[in-house]
């Protein structure tokens, strides 16, 4: 490209490569946004249970908290699946693409943590936040 004139096919190929790199980076940002949403839902569930633990009937706060926590797990699982599917179809050229196994570990880890937390919410009765 330095000092040489590119023909229209080379320019089109270069633009396509750059567009694909931008899509790879957009997919990574979207995955990060969905993971933030998953953590927010899990946090809302924990906060709801901690703040409104004295509901009547007593199990109602647990049900609502469990719903938010499991929603966070589903969001993380879905984000991992969609990012993996999108990135498997793309090739990065100049941008560093995220490693698909890393995304899978993050998505599955947050999902497993949410399920574990939801189970603990129902098992633990003696903690101050879980009465």
């Amino acid at each position: 490209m330095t000092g040489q004139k590119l023909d229209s096919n080379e320019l089109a190929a270069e633009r396509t490569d750059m567009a694909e790199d931008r899509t790879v980076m957009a997919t990574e940002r979207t995955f990060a946004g969905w993971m933030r949403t998953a953590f927010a839902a899990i946090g809302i569930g924990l906060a709801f249970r901690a703040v409104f633990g004295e509901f009547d009937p007593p199990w109602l706060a647990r049900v609502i908290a469990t719903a938010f926590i499991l929603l966070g797990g589903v969001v993380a699982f879905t984000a991992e699946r969609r990012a993996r599917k999108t990135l498997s179809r793309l090739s990065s050229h100049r941008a560093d693409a995220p490693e698909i196994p890393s995304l899978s570990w993050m998505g599955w880890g947050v999902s497993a943590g949410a399920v574990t937390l939801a189970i603990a919410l129902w098992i633990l009765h003696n903690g101050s936040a879980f009465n």
Side-chain angles (χ1 to χ4, degrees):
M1 276 200 308
T2 58
Q4 296 177 353
K5 188 172 183 179
L6 298 177
D7 69 1
S8 62
N9 290 335
E10 290 172 332
L11 285 171
E14 186 175 335
R15 286 186 189 119
T16 300
D17 291 349
M18 288 188 295
E20 201 165 24
D21 281 350
R22 285 191 300 272
T23 304
V24 166
M25 292 184 289
T27 300
E28 188 175 15
R29 286 190 307 272
T30 302
F31 176 76
W34 281 108
M35 293 304 285
R36 284 189 300 271
T37 303
F39 281 118
I42 292 168
I44 288 169
L46 283 174
F48 187 87
R49 178 66 181 111
V51 173
F52 299 108
E54 299 300 322
F55 261 35
D56 192 28
W59 52 266
L60 184 58
R62 278 193 189 136
V63 169
I64 295 170
T66 300
F68 275 102
I69 292 168
L70 292 179
L71 175 65
V74 169
V75 167
F77 175 77
T78 304
E80 180 271 333
R81 300 283 304 227
R82 292 179 59 98
R84 186 167 36 102
K85 183 178 175 184
T86 301
L87 291 172
S88 69
R89 294 185 313 227
L90 298 172
S91 299
S92 64
H93 303 277
R94 294 185 184 150
D96 291 332
E99 295 178 11
I100 292 176
S102 297
L103 296 178
S104 295
W105 279 107
M106 281 187 268
W108 282 96
V110 173
S111 296
V115 169
T116 303
L117 185 59
I119 291 169
L121 187 66
W122 287 90
I123 293 174
L124 297 176
H125 294 288
N126 297 329
S128 63
F130 299 107
N131 286 336

